């Protein structure tokens, strides 16, 4: 075979042209990006305060690192190099399964990339040149779009791959843009992201659902920043990383000649993500809403009333059955927040949505026999029309239907929820996301500080470090400390 230098793959060219040349202009897009930024920052602060396991994982990687001019990790007094910062922030945002998500042939969390974007933006702003809130928001719009366009029609899970490959690609592209790499350097860095491929998604699925699903995004963010930094320093890429016969991504792992993309990259995704109003796997959230409604109507959370339940039927999408329908013991918080039967049982018994502490091994529900008892009475089936509408870009429903059958032969209405709160088509979404942000921030910041953070996010000219300075918290000793 002739060892000719290949042209850059079209996928690399298109992502690069988009990330360097696209201009975000519409005000609805800026406002969507602000809301996404607030939500993701809130999720990071929430994990820091409510998820000890998350802190242990970050500590294990950071050791005692600190960098005097480093990016400031929100909620802490850590100053980190951008790679460590991307790991830590990406993990904090994602760990509690509360950050925004997007369905499609592949599902995923577009805000995972903020781990890389904010780490890099803050680090550049402190060390090299001004980076404004507007730059940060623009990078978010672009990362969301790249990840979301790939998610729409390409099922990475069908190849065993985890969707964080897209976090890696989207974060690499936007880190390169923020760092002002040339187009050639950007394509080189992107080629590394594709060559890196994806971890196996077995850590997200039964019987191996483990906490790695919560730090995989941090890992992807960290590698993305590393590729951008390497290529900035002149490291070469592999122009045909995807299309090279035999060894490229397509021949090696994709078993197909290309990806399918729904439309040219623009700014659709940021305006259509699903904001989670409860920390739970996204495909189960409308079932939780239905279960809460039923719990209130039939007082399932009252005393022994749950014992009158004979059967619970959940109709759902193929994605739900593939990702979160599980029988048998649940072994960890990750296993529980990825189990639709656990989510519905807790919602029925509590009469409200599960919270982070409800998943803990020593939490109130993990060892409550009522939960398993109810789980055993559930039947989860696919409703093909739900799957179709979920994949239909115009409808994008996230439907579950829940119906309870009682021992006396009666049954409840079949409660169908198509657009749960958090969906862009649900009018309650914006106020709910604003409430969630305030609740998450008020763990750490005073009400006045929360108002200042909101007005900083609204100030497009503000240097990013001014925001991250306000988000930083001193430890009681006033010195740099680990989490
Ligand atoms: C996007 C999903 C979620 O809402 O958490 C997902 O469950 C998707 C998946 O497992 O494929 C996730 O863990 O990222």
């Amino acid at each position: 075979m002739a060892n000719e230098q290949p042209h850059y793959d079209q996928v690399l060219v298109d992502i690069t042209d988009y990330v360097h040349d696209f201009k975000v202009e519409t005000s609805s897009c800026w406002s969507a990006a602000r809301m996404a930024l607030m939500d993701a920052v809130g999720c990071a602060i929430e994990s820091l305060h409510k998820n000890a396991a998350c802190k242990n994982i970050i500590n294990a990687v950071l050791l005692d690192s600190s960098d005097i001019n480093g990016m400031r990790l929100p909620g802490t007094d850590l100053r980190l190099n951008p790679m460590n910062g991307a790991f830590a922030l990406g993990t904090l945002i994602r760990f509690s399964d509360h950050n925004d998500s997007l369905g499609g042939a592949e599902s995923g969390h577009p805000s995972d990339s903020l781990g890389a974007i904010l780490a890099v933006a803050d680090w550049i702003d402190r060390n090299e040149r001004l980076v404004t809130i507007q730059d940060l928001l623009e990078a978010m719009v672009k990362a969301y779009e790249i990840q979301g366009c790939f998610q729409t029609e390409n099922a990475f899970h069908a190849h065993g791959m985890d969707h964080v490959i897209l976090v890696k690609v989207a974060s690499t592209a936007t880190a390169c843009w923020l760092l002002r790499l040339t187009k050639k350097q950007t394509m080189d860095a992107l080629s590394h992201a594709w060559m890196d491929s994806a971890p196996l998604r077995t850590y997200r699925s039964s019987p191996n659902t483990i906490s790695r699903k919560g730090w995989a995004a941090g890992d992807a963010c960290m590698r993305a920043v590393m590729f951008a930094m390497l290529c900035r320093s002149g490291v070469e890429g592999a122009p045909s990383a995807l299309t090279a016969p035999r060894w490229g991504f397509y021949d090696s792992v994709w078993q197909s000649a290309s990806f399918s993309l729904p439309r040219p990259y623009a700014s659709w995704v940021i305006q259509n993500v699903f904001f989670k109003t409860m920390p739970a796997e996204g495909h189960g959230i409308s079932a939780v809403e239905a279960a809460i409604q039923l719990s209130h109507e039939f007082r399932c959370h009252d005393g022994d009333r749950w014992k009158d339940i004979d059967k619970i039927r959940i109709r759902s999408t193929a994605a739900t059955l593939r990702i979160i329908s599980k029988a048998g013991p649940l072994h960890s918080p990750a296993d529980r927040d990825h189990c639709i039967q656990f989510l519905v049982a807790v919602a029925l018994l509590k009469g409200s949505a599960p919270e982070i502490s409800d998943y803990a091994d020593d939490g109130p529900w993990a060892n409550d026999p009522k939960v398993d008892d109810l789980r055993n009475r559930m039947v989860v089936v696919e409703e093909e029309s739900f799957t179709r509408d979920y994949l239909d870009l115009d409808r994008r429903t996230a439907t579950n239907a829940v119906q309870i059958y009682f021992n006396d032969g009666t049954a409840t209405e079949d409660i169908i929820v198509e657009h749960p709160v958090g969906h862009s088509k649900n009018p309650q979404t914006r106020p709910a996301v604003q409430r969630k942000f305030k609740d998450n921030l008020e763990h750490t910041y005073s009400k006045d500080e929360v108002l200042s953070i909101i007005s900083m996010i609204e100030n497009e000219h503000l240097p990013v470090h001014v925001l991250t300075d306000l988000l930083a918290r001193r430890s009681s000793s006033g010195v740099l400390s680990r989490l």
Side-chain angles (χ1 to χ4, degrees):
M1 187 177 160
N3 191 32
E4 301 291 345
Q5 173 89 47
H7 293 298
Y8 282 95
D9 285 333
Q10 198 58 42
V11 167
L12 307 178
V13 175
D14 291 345
I15 297 174
T16 300
D17 285 347
Y18 166 70
V19 85
H20 282 268
D21 301 337
F22 185 80
K23 297 274 168 288
V24 177
E25 266 152 6
T26 56
S27 64
S28 59
C29 194
W30 291 119
S31 130
R34 282 196 183 93
M35 187 152 109
L37 174 60
M38 285 173 24
D39 188 65
V41 168
C43 290
I45 301 300
E46 181 184 39
S47 294
L48 199 55
H49 284 271
K50 296 192 177 167
N51 228 320
C54 173
K55 288 201 281 183
N56 292 342
I57 285 163
I58 295 172
N59 276 331
V61 170
L62 297 186
L63 300 173
D64 57 358
S65 67
S66 69
D67 180 338
I68 205 74
N69 289 326
M71 61 77 72
R72 301 200 79 171
L73 186 65
T76 77
D77 58 1
L78 292 174
R79 295 169 191 263
L80 302 170
N81 76 48
M83 275 146 317
N84 279 344
F87 177 81
L89 185 54
T91 300
L92 284 176
I93 291 169
R94 177 68 181 84
F95 201 84
S96 305
D97 222 327
H98 209 172
N99 62 323
D100 60 23
S101 65
L102 185 78
E106 184 63 64
S107 40
H109 298 256
S111 52
D112 287 354
S113 287
L114 186 66
I117 293 170
L118 184 53
V120 167
D122 189 31
W123 182 84
I124 302 171
D125 191 35
R126 288 174 192 281
N127 292 278
E128 299 192 343
R129 67 178 168 81
L130 172 68
V131 179
T132 63
I133 296 293
Q134 176 158 330
D135 299 326
L136 180 71
L137 297 174
E138 186 163 343
M140 286 182 73
V141 172
K142 292 176 175 175
Y144 274 53
E145 188 70 6
I146 295 166
Q147 167 158 351
C149 281
F150 276 95
Q151 269 184 239
T152 307
E153 291 171 4
N154 303 286
F156 288 81
H157 61 79
H159 304 267
M161 292 183 210
D162 192 30
H163 48 69
V164 293
I165 185 173
L166 299 177
V167 176
K168 198 162 15 185
V169 169
S171 301
T172 301
T174 42
C176 290
W177 175 70
L178 284 166
L179 285 160
R180 296 209 169 144
L181 270 64
T182 64
K183 284 193 172 182
K184 180 182 177 312
Q185 289 171 327
T186 304
M187 291 190 288
D188 286 338
L190 282 167
S191 77
H192 284 283
W194 287 110
M195 284 189 283
D196 223 34
S197 191
L200 297 181
R201 68 158 281 132
T202 188
Y203 52 70
R204 234 177 259 288
S205 313
S206 176
N208 283 322
T209 317
I210 54 170
S211 68
R212 183 165 177 173
K213 78 176 178 66
W215 54 263
D219 182 24
C221 287
M222 176 172 71
R223 291 193 65 77
V225 178
M226 185 178 85
F227 297 142
M229 289 295 191
L230 283 169
C231 292
R232 175 161 100 144
S233 79
V235 165
E236 75 280 37
S240 64
L242 291 121
T243 59
R246 183 162 179 198
W247 305 115
F249 182 88
Y250 292 146
D251 276 4
S252 304
V253 291
W254 195 245
Q255 286 112 33
S256 162
S258 60
F259 294 117
S260 163
L261 297 177
R263 59 181 177 272
Y265 305 116
S267 56
W268 184 88
V269 176
I270 194 98
Q271 302 179 71
N272 287 283
V273 284
F274 176 65
F275 288 102
K276 293 191 181 185
T277 53
M278 60 187 83
E281 204 280 347
H283 300 94
I285 286 178
S286 57
V288 172
E289 277 193 14
I292 293 171
Q293 190 180 325
L294 288 170
S295 174
H296 289 187
E297 257 172 64
F298 297 93
R299 311 218 46 82
C300 304
H301 53 290
D302 222 3
D304 279 348
R305 178 75 170 129
W306 66 276
K307 286 188 178 161
D308 298 336
I309 295 175
D310 173 40
K311 186 175 106 178
I312 300 165
R313 185 181 65 151
I314 303 173
R315 289 182 299 134
S316 194
T317 56
T320 298
L321 271 87
R322 185 177 65 244
I323 302 170
I324 50 170
S325 180
K326 285 178 194 166
L330 299 171
H331 304 284
S332 65
D335 219 3
R336 292 182 197 102
D337 74 31
H338 262 211
C339 173
I340 190 167
Q341 291 88 347
F342 182 87
L343 300 176
V344 168
V346 171
L348 284 172
L349 292 166
K350 244 184 113 172
S352 58
E355 295 162 74
I356 291 172
S357 54
D358 292 334
Y359 301 117
D361 292 341
D362 56 359
W365 303 108
N367 305 300
D368 187 328
K370 295 199 287 295
V371 172
D372 281 347
D373 211 321
L374 277 186
R375 282 177 63 212
N376 291 334
R377 298 175 203 198
M378 291 184 200
V379 184
V380 184
V381 291
E382 182 190 352
E383 182 64 59
E384 282 177 17
S385 63
F386 293 178
T387 303
R388 239 187 349 265
D389 290 350
Y390 165 78
L391 293 173
D392 177 341
L393 268 192
D394 293 327
R395 294 185 59 83
R396 292 181 304 101
T397 51
T399 312
N400 279 290
V402 182
Q403 185 167 23
I404 300 179
Y405 298 82
F406 294 106
N407 295 325
D408 64 7
T410 60
T412 68
E413 200 190 321
D414 189 23
I415 304 292
I416 304 177
V417 179
E418 284 194 332
H419 297 122
V421 182
H423 196 287
S424 59
K425 292 187 179 165
N426 186 318
Q428 292 174 52
T429 294
R430 181 169 272 275
V433 174
Q434 285 164 344
R435 234 178 2 258
K436 172 185 169 191
F437 175 72
K438 289 197 173 135
D439 288 348
N440 279 338
L441 261 73
E442 281 170 13
H443 296 306
T444 305
Y445 310 95
S446 68
K447 285 196 166 42
D448 284 347
E449 284 174 323
V450 174
L451 291 177
S452 303
I453 291 165
I454 294 172
S455 62
M456 285 186 181
I457 288 175
E458 274 159 11
N459 178 355
E460 72 248 45
H461 303 297
L462 190 88
V464 167
H465 81 267
V466 179
L467 172 65
T468 52
D469 276 348
L470 178 55
L471 288 169
R473 286 293 92 157
R474 292 227 171 285
S475 67
S476 50
S477 60
V479 292
L480 295 179
S481 67
R482 295 171 61 200
L483 294 171

